[in-house]
Amino acid sequence: MGETKEDKLDIILNHLIDSIELKDDLVIVKTKKNVVVQNEGHFVQINSGAHVMLSKEIHLNPIINMDFNNDFNKLQENLDKAQEEQRRLMLESLEES
């Protein structure tokens, strides 16, 4: 699934987007699924206004090995391992100084 334009539209409209609301000049797109945007090149986002991220946790540039073909149940485990590894590397760097 996902090879033809029709398949791609089906996935977006029937499996990804739960609802779309229009309120004045605001478009609200709601999903019930985990969403990954995988890009092999650069990803540039240009905003003329604020860019706000609201989340239970925000991880900037975590060094993790993530196979997005698997479910997201291992995401927290992978983030925890990456955080512990980054702490270890930081401590090693401080000891060498």
Side-chain angles (χ1 to χ4, degrees), residues 22-53:
L22 183 59
K23 293 183 179 181
D24 299 321
D25 63 346
L26 177 65
V27 177
I28 302 170
V29 179
K30 295 182 181 180
T31 71
K32 288 186 179 178
K33 306 271 190 223
N34 296 310
V35 178
V36 173
V37 176
Q38 188 171 352
N39 179 10
E40 298 298 324
H42 299 290
F43 187 80
V44 178
Q45 193 172 4
I46 300 172
N47 301 315
S48 61
H51 179 107
V52 178
M53 294 175 58

Short mmCIF file of all heavy atoms in Angstrom, two decimals, residues 22-53:
data_model
loop_
_atom_site.label_atom_id
_atom_site.label_comp_id
_atom_site.label_asym_id
_atom_site.label_seq_id
_atom_site.Cartn_x
_atom_site.Cartn_y
_atom_site.Cartn_z
N LEU A 22 -11.55 24.42 10.85
CA LEU A 22 -11.17 25.75 10.41
C LEU A 22 -11.80 26.75 11.37
O LEU A 22 -13.02 26.80 11.51
CB LEU A 22 -11.66 25.99 8.97
CG LEU A 22 -11.30 27.31 8.33
CD1 LEU A 22 -9.78 27.48 8.27
CD2 LEU A 22 -11.89 27.40 6.94
N LYS A 23 -10.95 27.51 12.06
CA LYS A 23 -11.42 28.52 13.01
C LYS A 23 -10.75 29.84 12.65
O LYS A 23 -9.53 29.99 12.84
CB LYS A 23 -11.07 28.14 14.45
CG LYS A 23 -11.81 26.92 14.95
CD LYS A 23 -11.47 26.65 16.41
CE LYS A 23 -12.25 25.45 16.91
NZ LYS A 23 -11.97 25.14 18.30
N ASP A 24 -11.51 30.78 12.14
CA ASP A 24 -10.98 32.07 11.69
C ASP A 24 -9.81 31.84 10.74
O ASP A 24 -9.99 31.28 9.68
CB ASP A 24 -10.60 32.95 12.89
CG ASP A 24 -11.81 33.25 13.78
OD1 ASP A 24 -12.91 33.46 13.23
OD2 ASP A 24 -11.65 33.23 15.01
N ASP A 25 -8.60 32.22 11.14
CA ASP A 25 -7.43 32.02 10.26
C ASP A 25 -6.56 30.85 10.73
O ASP A 25 -5.39 30.77 10.41
CB ASP A 25 -6.60 33.30 10.19
CG ASP A 25 -6.02 33.70 11.53
OD1 ASP A 25 -6.45 33.15 12.56
OD2 ASP A 25 -5.12 34.56 11.54
N LEU A 26 -7.16 29.92 11.47
CA LEU A 26 -6.44 28.78 12.02
C LEU A 26 -6.98 27.48 11.44
O LEU A 26 -8.18 27.25 11.45
CB LEU A 26 -6.59 28.78 13.55
CG LEU A 26 -5.96 27.63 14.32
CD1 LEU A 26 -4.44 27.66 14.18
CD2 LEU A 26 -6.36 27.70 15.78
N VAL A 27 -6.09 26.65 10.93
CA VAL A 27 -6.45 25.30 10.47
C VAL A 27 -5.89 24.32 11.48
O VAL A 27 -4.68 24.31 11.74
CB VAL A 27 -5.88 25.00 9.07
CG1 VAL A 27 -6.22 23.57 8.65
CG2 VAL A 27 -6.41 26.00 8.05
N ILE A 28 -6.75 23.49 12.07
CA ILE A 28 -6.34 22.51 13.07
C ILE A 28 -6.48 21.12 12.46
O ILE A 28 -7.59 20.70 12.11
CB ILE A 28 -7.19 22.62 14.35
CG1 ILE A 28 -7.10 24.03 14.93
CG2 ILE A 28 -6.76 21.57 15.36
CD1 ILE A 28 -8.09 24.30 16.04
N VAL A 29 -5.35 20.42 12.33
CA VAL A 29 -5.34 19.05 11.80
C VAL A 29 -5.06 18.14 12.99
O VAL A 29 -4.04 18.27 13.65
CB VAL A 29 -4.26 18.86 10.72
CG1 VAL A 29 -4.26 17.42 10.23
CG2 VAL A 29 -4.48 19.83 9.57
N LYS A 30 -5.99 17.22 13.27
CA LYS A 30 -5.82 16.30 14.40
C LYS A 30 -5.57 14.88 13.87
O LYS A 30 -6.21 14.45 12.91
CB LYS A 30 -7.06 16.30 15.29
CG LYS A 30 -7.29 17.64 15.98
CD LYS A 30 -8.51 17.59 16.88
CE LYS A 30 -8.73 18.93 17.55
NZ LYS A 30 -9.91 18.91 18.43
N THR A 31 -4.64 14.19 14.52
CA THR A 31 -4.37 12.79 14.19
C THR A 31 -4.48 11.96 15.45
O THR A 31 -4.33 12.47 16.56
CB THR A 31 -2.96 12.60 13.60
OG1 THR A 31 -2.00 12.79 14.62
CG2 THR A 31 -2.70 13.53 12.45
N LYS A 32 -4.74 10.67 15.28
CA LYS A 32 -4.77 9.74 16.41
C LYS A 32 -3.58 8.80 16.36
O LYS A 32 -3.41 7.97 17.22
CB LYS A 32 -6.05 8.91 16.39
CG LYS A 32 -7.29 9.68 16.75
CD LYS A 32 -8.47 8.75 16.83
CE LYS A 32 -9.73 9.51 17.22
NZ LYS A 32 -10.90 8.65 17.27
N LYS A 33 -2.77 8.93 15.34
CA LYS A 33 -1.66 8.02 15.11
C LYS A 33 -0.34 8.70 15.42
O LYS A 33 -0.23 9.92 15.45
CB LYS A 33 -1.63 7.58 13.64
CG LYS A 33 -2.92 6.99 13.12
CD LYS A 33 -2.95 5.53 13.36
CE LYS A 33 -4.13 4.93 12.62
NZ LYS A 33 -4.86 3.98 13.34
N ASN A 34 0.69 7.88 15.62
CA ASN A 34 2.05 8.40 15.66
C ASN A 34 2.42 8.81 14.25
O ASN A 34 2.04 8.15 13.28
CB ASN A 34 3.02 7.31 16.14
CG ASN A 34 2.73 6.90 17.56
OD1 ASN A 34 2.61 7.73 18.44
ND2 ASN A 34 2.59 5.60 17.79
N VAL A 35 3.16 9.90 14.11
CA VAL A 35 3.50 10.42 12.79
C VAL A 35 5.02 10.60 12.71
O VAL A 35 5.62 11.19 13.60
CB VAL A 35 2.81 11.78 12.52
CG1 VAL A 35 3.22 12.34 11.17
CG2 VAL A 35 1.30 11.64 12.62
N VAL A 36 5.61 10.09 11.65
CA VAL A 36 7.03 10.26 11.39
C VAL A 36 7.18 10.88 10.01
O VAL A 36 6.55 10.44 9.06
CB VAL A 36 7.77 8.89 11.39
CG1 VAL A 36 9.21 9.05 10.95
CG2 VAL A 36 7.69 8.26 12.75
N VAL A 37 7.99 11.93 9.93
CA VAL A 37 8.36 12.48 8.63
C VAL A 37 9.81 12.11 8.43
O VAL A 37 10.69 12.59 9.14
CB VAL A 37 8.18 14.02 8.60
CG1 VAL A 37 8.66 14.57 7.26
CG2 VAL A 37 6.74 14.40 8.86
N GLN A 38 10.06 11.20 7.50
CA GLN A 38 11.42 10.74 7.25
C GLN A 38 11.90 11.38 5.96
O GLN A 38 11.24 11.30 4.94
CB GLN A 38 11.46 9.22 7.14
CG GLN A 38 12.86 8.67 7.08
CD GLN A 38 12.88 7.16 7.21
OE1 GLN A 38 11.86 6.53 7.49
NE2 GLN A 38 14.04 6.58 7.02
N ASN A 39 13.07 12.00 6.03
CA ASN A 39 13.57 12.78 4.91
C ASN A 39 15.04 12.42 4.70
O ASN A 39 15.82 12.45 5.65
CB ASN A 39 13.39 14.27 5.25
CG ASN A 39 13.92 15.18 4.17
OD1 ASN A 39 14.25 14.76 3.09
ND2 ASN A 39 14.00 16.45 4.50
N GLU A 40 15.42 12.12 3.49
CA GLU A 40 16.81 11.76 3.20
C GLU A 40 17.67 13.00 2.94
O GLU A 40 18.87 12.90 2.78
CB GLU A 40 16.88 10.82 1.99
CG GLU A 40 16.16 9.50 2.21
CD GLU A 40 16.76 8.69 3.35
OE1 GLU A 40 17.99 8.72 3.54
OE2 GLU A 40 15.97 8.03 4.06
N GLY A 41 17.03 14.16 2.88
CA GLY A 41 17.79 15.40 2.62
C GLY A 41 17.58 16.40 3.74
O GLY A 41 17.35 16.03 4.88
N HIS A 42 17.65 17.65 3.39
CA HIS A 42 17.45 18.72 4.36
C HIS A 42 15.96 18.91 4.62
O HIS A 42 15.13 18.64 3.76
CB HIS A 42 18.04 20.04 3.84
CG HIS A 42 19.50 19.96 3.57
ND1 HIS A 42 20.43 19.86 4.57
CD2 HIS A 42 20.19 19.94 2.41
CE1 HIS A 42 21.64 19.80 4.04
NE2 HIS A 42 21.52 19.83 2.73
N PHE A 43 15.64 19.38 5.80
CA PHE A 43 14.25 19.69 6.16
C PHE A 43 14.27 21.11 6.72
O PHE A 43 14.80 21.36 7.78
CB PHE A 43 13.74 18.70 7.21
CG PHE A 43 12.28 18.85 7.53
CD1 PHE A 43 11.33 18.32 6.68
CD2 PHE A 43 11.85 19.53 8.66
CE1 PHE A 43 9.97 18.44 6.96
CE2 PHE A 43 10.50 19.67 8.94
CZ PHE A 43 9.56 19.12 8.08
N VAL A 44 13.71 22.02 5.97
CA VAL A 44 13.70 23.43 6.36
C VAL A 44 12.27 23.85 6.60
O VAL A 44 11.40 23.59 5.78
CB VAL A 44 14.33 24.31 5.24
CG1 VAL A 44 14.27 25.78 5.62
CG2 VAL A 44 15.77 23.87 4.96
N GLN A 45 12.07 24.49 7.72
CA GLN A 45 10.74 25.00 8.05
C GLN A 45 10.86 26.49 8.22
O GLN A 45 11.69 26.98 8.98
CB GLN A 45 10.26 24.35 9.34
CG GLN A 45 8.82 24.56 9.62
CD GLN A 45 8.36 23.73 10.80
OE1 GLN A 45 9.14 23.05 11.46
NE2 GLN A 45 7.09 23.79 11.08
N ILE A 46 10.04 27.23 7.49
CA ILE A 46 10.08 28.69 7.55
C ILE A 46 8.76 29.19 8.09
O ILE A 46 7.70 28.87 7.57
CB ILE A 46 10.35 29.29 6.15
CG1 ILE A 46 11.69 28.78 5.63
CG2 ILE A 46 10.30 30.81 6.20
CD1 ILE A 46 11.97 29.15 4.19
N ASN A 47 8.83 29.95 9.18
CA ASN A 47 7.65 30.52 9.79
C ASN A 47 7.78 32.03 9.82
O ASN A 47 8.83 32.55 10.16
CB ASN A 47 7.50 30.04 11.25
CG ASN A 47 7.40 28.54 11.34
OD1 ASN A 47 6.68 27.91 10.59
ND2 ASN A 47 8.13 27.97 12.27
N SER A 48 6.70 32.72 9.50
CA SER A 48 6.74 34.17 9.65
C SER A 48 6.30 34.56 11.05
O SER A 48 6.44 35.70 11.46
CB SER A 48 5.84 34.84 8.60
OG SER A 48 4.50 34.42 8.77
N GLY A 49 5.78 33.59 11.79
CA GLY A 49 5.38 33.82 13.18
C GLY A 49 6.12 32.88 14.09
O GLY A 49 7.18 32.36 13.75
N ALA A 50 5.58 32.62 15.24
CA ALA A 50 6.22 31.77 16.25
C ALA A 50 6.15 30.30 15.85
O ALA A 50 5.24 29.86 15.16
CB ALA A 50 5.54 31.97 17.60
N HIS A 51 7.15 29.56 16.29
CA HIS A 51 7.16 28.10 16.16
C HIS A 51 7.09 27.56 17.59
O HIS A 51 8.03 27.73 18.35
CB HIS A 51 8.43 27.63 15.47
CG HIS A 51 8.51 26.14 15.33
ND1 HIS A 51 8.35 25.51 14.14
CD2 HIS A 51 8.72 25.16 16.23
CE1 HIS A 51 8.46 24.20 14.31
NE2 HIS A 51 8.69 23.98 15.59
N VAL A 52 6.00 26.93 17.94
CA VAL A 52 5.78 26.47 19.31
C VAL A 52 5.62 24.95 19.29
O VAL A 52 4.85 24.42 18.51
CB VAL A 52 4.52 27.12 19.92
CG1 VAL A 52 4.28 26.62 21.33
CG2 VAL A 52 4.65 28.64 19.89
N MET A 53 6.37 24.28 20.16
CA MET A 53 6.25 22.84 20.30
C MET A 53 5.75 22.56 21.71
O MET A 53 6.39 22.96 22.68
CB MET A 53 7.59 22.14 20.07
CG MET A 53 8.09 22.26 18.66
SD MET A 53 9.75 21.55 18.43
CE MET A 53 9.49 19.86 18.94
#
